[in-house]
Amino acid sequence: MRVLAFVGCGHIHTPGFVEAIKQRGTPVKAVADWDPDRATATAEALGAVVAEPDAIRDDPDIGGVVVTSHTVDHRAIVDHLAPSGKALFVEKPIGMSGEDALAIAATLERHGNVFQTGYRMRGEANAQTAKHLVDSGALGQITRARAAVCHHGALDGWFDDRWRWMADLSQAGVGAFGDLGTHGLDILMWLFGPVESVTAALANGTARYPDCDELGEGILRFRSGVVATLAASWDDWANPLRLEITGTEGHLSWFDGKLTLKLRGADPVTPELQPAKSAGFDAFLDWAEGKDADLLSPVEAASRCVAMHAMYTSARNGKWKEIG
């Protein structure tokens, strides 16, 4: 069992990660954060000590570090920790911009760090089944798709106090579209490969968080020829349609938690589900336990940031944005 530490614990997912660690019994030795109260609370919850980032970097007992800081701090933290060779879990999105994410990925690749980020949705049984059907050719040539990842965070004021920074683009880099949409974008790119060009429209929604997008819609053209749309929002009480894929031989929908497959000339059926897999933070904990773990590469994670920030650029400029 590898020993972990936290450097930065300000993300809204940190409490959930702490609970996952406690359930598994993964040892955590130290916690660092610029906010002493936040560091102390997280350390106490994990039975760890508060430490400086230098001490965590230099401690040979610590094999991996969880980075759940404000996104604006990711690059400096990675630059500081990567030369130690420790494994790094960096919460999504990994960078403040596409360029920032590519620089982070280059640092991680240069030092050969084991890496993971928080794309947990691809591990769900429904997502694994969609991947199987696409890769097997059961749907024929894929022509279009839609992903939607929405919740009611703005309606319920999730980002009013403790997590206010996540609705501040100077700290988070993105608002709702980038925060939630990156999960749907990961699924689309995992299924259909690199993105060629994008456009998007963003909106302030309820305007609970001024100067921050609370929702957005994007259109993506993939190099494979697929055209897809992406929705994300903090202003939705429900999100029934998670994924829709249309091909020349069939149609797959993920609606209200259930997959429905309609092949040409056949009645709709519930397809046989593929097993769920550990993904996101759970996969990083698998690595800590010495298990085989399905981890993303830094370049994969950065490519999601490049595509997402191209959509933000398109929304500002009102033009399609090509991706090199």
Side-chain angles (χ1 to χ4, degrees), residues 98-169:
E99 294 79 5
D100 194 39
L102 288 170
I104 288 169
T107 297
L108 293 165
E109 292 280 311
R110 183 166 64 253
H111 293 288
N113 306 85
V114 171
F115 167 80
Q116 178 65 332
T117 192
Y119 291 128
R120 55 181 172 76
M121 291 185 182
R122 60 164 68 186
E124 296 180 36
N126 284 353
Q128 290 289 323
T129 304
K131 176 74 168 168
H132 171 73
L133 291 169
V134 168
D135 289 352
S136 70
L139 300 175
Q141 178 187 346
I142 306 303
T143 52
R144 65 179 181 86
R146 176 166 178 78
V149 189
C150 307
H151 63 44
H152 47 89
L155 302 180
D156 275 353
W158 291 4
F159 310 107
D160 286 2
D161 300 307
R162 184 179 179 187
W163 317 112
R164 183 64 182 85
W165 72 269
M166 294 185 67
D168 177 352
L169 269 64

Side-chain angles (χ1 to χ4, degrees), residues 35 58 64 93 113 137 180 217 261 274 276 285 308-309:
D35 182 327
D58 297 337
N113 306 85
L180 283 181
E217 293 273 349
L261 174 64
Q274 298 295 304
L285 294 183
M308 180 57 71
H309 283 276

Side-chain angles (χ1 to χ4, degrees), residues 6 19 30 39 58 73 88 96 107 112 115 121 139 167 178 218 245 297-298 310:
F6 276 74
E19 288 306 308
D58 297 337
D73 296 325
L88 296 178
M96 288 286 286
T107 297
F115 167 80
M121 291 185 182
L139 300 175
I245 304 171
S297 71

